[in-house]
């Protein structure tokens, strides 16, 4: 009789644990399948900047006035006959004294003449002060665009109490395996 009671006690205990385990399994299944986490929204922002700048540099080059001249001495002609020399020299003096040219434009002047006292041909040039101005312009463009896009990413969330109950369920299954191993030895 004692062995029957022992076996009956074992079956009742096993039935109780199985019933408790089944209830716990159903409760955990309902809780795990019914609780859903809200999806987390990921905000993705793209910002593009456009900036417009105008940068210029100015180079001014000033050259000073130039005054220049060229003087050529005219030599007297000497030949074997001195009477021909004087006639030739007088004719050359007469022709050279007729040369006188000058041109003027603003501060610039150029000319050519014969100096009878010094017996020279003189060419002269006067160039006024000049200015060169160079402007370099650099353009820098910078633009700004902003693009916001929201993307929903589902996140699985399991509450802390569900994890605790799952831990109890694992401990219960370990206990049942241990208990059955003792019974069927």
């Amino acid at each position: 009789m004692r062995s029957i009671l022992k076996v009956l006690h074992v079956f009742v205990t096993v039935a109780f644990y199985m019933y408790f385990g089944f209830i716990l399994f159903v409760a955990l299944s309902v809780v795990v399948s019914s609780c859903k986490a809200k999806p987390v929204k990921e905000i993705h922002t793209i910002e593009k900047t456009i900036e417009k700048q105008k940068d210029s540099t100015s180079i001014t080059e000033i050259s000073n006035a130039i005054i220049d001249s060229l003087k050529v001495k005219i030599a007297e002609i000497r030949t074997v006959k001195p009477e021909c020399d004087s006639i030739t020299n007088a004719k050359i003096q007469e022709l050279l004294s007729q040369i006188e040219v000058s041109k003027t434009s603003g501060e610039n002047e150029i000319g050519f003449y014969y100096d009878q006292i010094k017996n020279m041909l003189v060419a002269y040039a006067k160039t006024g002060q000049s200015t060169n101005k160079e402007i370099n312009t650099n353009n820098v463009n910078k633009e700004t665009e902003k693009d916001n896009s929201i993307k929903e990413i589902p996140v699985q969330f399991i509450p802390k109490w569900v994890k605790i109950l799952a831990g109890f369920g694992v401990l219960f299954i370990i206990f049942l395996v241990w208990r059955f191993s003792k019974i069927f030895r």
Side-chain angles (χ1 to χ4, degrees), residues 9-19 176 179-180 183:
H9 176 64
V10 169
F11 280 123
V12 169
T13 307
V14 169
F16 172 74
Y17 287 125
M18 287 181 74
Y19 178 73
L176 282 179
R179 189 75 173 155
F180 280 126
I183 294 171

Side-chain angles (χ1 to χ4, degrees), residues 2 4-5 8 10 13 22 42-44 62 64 68 77 80 98-99 101 105 121 124-125 133 154 158 164 168 182:
R2 191 125 170 92
I4 293 175
L5 283 176
L8 188 60
V10 169
T13 307
F22 179 73
E42 178 184 308
I43 298 173
H44 185 66
I62 299 172
N64 294 330
D68 198 10
I77 297 176
V80 181
Q98 293 175 2
I99 297 174
V101 177
S105 173
L121 276 176
Y124 65 92
K133 192 169 190 177
I158 301 172
I164 292 171
F168 282 136
K182 271 191 132 187

Side-chain angles (χ1 to χ4, degrees), residues 7 10 22 25 30 46 121 139 146 170:
V7 170
V10 169
F22 179 73
F25 175 75
V30 168
I46 298 172
L121 276 176
N139 289 332
K146 199 170 189 181
V170 169

Side-chain angles (χ1 to χ4, degrees), residues 28-45:
L28 284 177
S29 297
V30 168
V31 168
V32 169
S33 65
S34 66
C35 292
K36 280 192 175 179
K38 293 182 181 177
V40 176
K41 292 181 181 179
E42 178 184 308
I43 298 173
H44 185 66
T45 302

Side-chain angles (χ1 to χ4, degrees), residues 159-174:
K160 194 172 187 178
W161 62 272
V162 173
K163 291 179 184 178
I164 292 171
L165 286 178
F168 282 136
V170 169
L171 290 175
F172 178 72
I173 290 173
I174 291 172

Side-chain angles (χ1 to χ4, degrees), residues 63-131:
S63 58
N64 294 330
I66 299 172
I67 299 173
D68 198 10
S69 65
L70 173 69
K71 297 176 183 175
V72 179
K73 183 134 176 105
I74 304 294
E76 287 190 24
I77 297 176
R78 294 196 181 147
T79 60
V80 181
K81 295 182 181 179
E83 61 275 350
C84 288
D85 292 344
S86 63
I87 295 172
T88 306
N89 284 331
K91 202 59 165 162
I92 288 176
Q93 290 286 332
E94 181 186 330
L95 287 172
L96 289 174
S97 64
Q98 293 175 2
I99 297 174
E100 187 168 337
V101 177
S102 73
K103 296 284 181 187
T104 305
S105 173
E107 292 182 22
N108 300 329
E109 185 178 351
I110 188 166
F112 189 73
Y113 67 92
Y114 176 70
D115 188 356
Q116 287 181 338
I117 299 169
K118 295 180 182 176
N119 197 22
M120 289 185 180
L121 276 176
V122 178
Y124 65 92
K126 179 185 171 195
T127 306
Q129 181 179 353
S130 64
T131 304

